[in-house]
Amino acid sequence: MENPVNSIKDPKIRAYFEEITEQRPHATALSGDELEEGVNQFVDGLDKVLAEGEEMIARARLAKMGDVPEAISFSYIAKKYFGKSRGWLMQKVNGNTVNGKQAAFTEDERRQFRAALQDISKQLSLAALAF
C-alpha cells in the first residue's frame, strides 16, 4: 500500500509530514495554511489507503467463497439486484481496470451484494427444505 504522505504534492509540506510520521525531533516550520493543506492531503492519502485495504479484504472474502461463484449466477445477481450486466459485476468483483481506474464496490454496493447473497441463501434453504 502507498504511504499517504506520498499524496502530498508540495515538497515542503511533504517533508514536514515525513518528519512527523517518522517521529523526527525537528519538524519543518509551516504556516497555518500550509499545515491545513498538508493535513487535507494527508487525510486524502489515508482515505485512499483505507479504500485499498477494504478492497483487499473484500477480494479475500470472495476468495473464501470457493466454488460459490460457479454455483450461482452472477448474471442473475447483477441484473436482479443491481440492474446491471454480469460484466459490470465481474469487473467490480475482480477489481479490473476500467477506463484507467480500478473497478471497486462502493460501500452501498458492497452492502447490496451482501444482501443479495443472503437473499439467495434464504431461497436455497427454503428450496432444500421443500425438496
Side-chain angles (χ1 to χ4, degrees), residues 1-119:
M1 280 191 241
E2 185 179 327
N3 182 341
V5 173
N6 294 341
S7 64
I8 300 173
K9 295 168 185 68
D10 186 296
K12 179 181 175 187
I13 298 171
R14 186 179 319 112
Y16 174 83
F17 280 87
E18 284 173 346
E19 290 172 0
I20 289 175
T21 58
E22 293 174 12
Q23 298 181 346
R24 295 183 194 163
H26 302 290
T28 306
L30 293 179
S31 69
D33 289 342
E34 290 172 323
L35 181 60
E36 182 179 353
E37 179 183 341
V39 167
N40 290 336
Q41 291 177 13
F42 186 75
V43 168
D44 290 345
L46 285 175
D47 288 342
K48 183 178 177 183
V49 168
L50 287 172
E52 289 172 6
E54 288 171 358
E55 279 305 308
M56 290 172 65
I57 290 168
R59 285 191 217 321
R61 287 182 180 148
L62 270 171
K64 289 180 183 178
M65 290 176 70
D67 291 336
V68 171
E70 293 179 32
I72 61 175
S73 170
F74 273 40
S75 179
Y76 172 82
I77 293 171
K79 185 176 181 181
K80 178 173 179 169
Y81 296 94
F82 292 96
K84 303 283 185 177
S85 69
R86 179 185 187 280
W88 174 88
L89 181 59
M90 295 312 297
Q91 287 173 347
K92 299 273 188 167
V93 167
N94 295 322
N96 296 350
T97 301
V98 179
N99 297 327
K101 188 176 178 184
Q102 185 178 13
F105 285 107
T106 64
E107 190 56 38
D108 286 341
E109 290 169 341
R110 188 174 287 115
R111 277 193 286 270
Q112 194 172 354
F113 187 64
R114 187 178 307 121
L117 292 173
Q118 289 171 337
D119 185 44

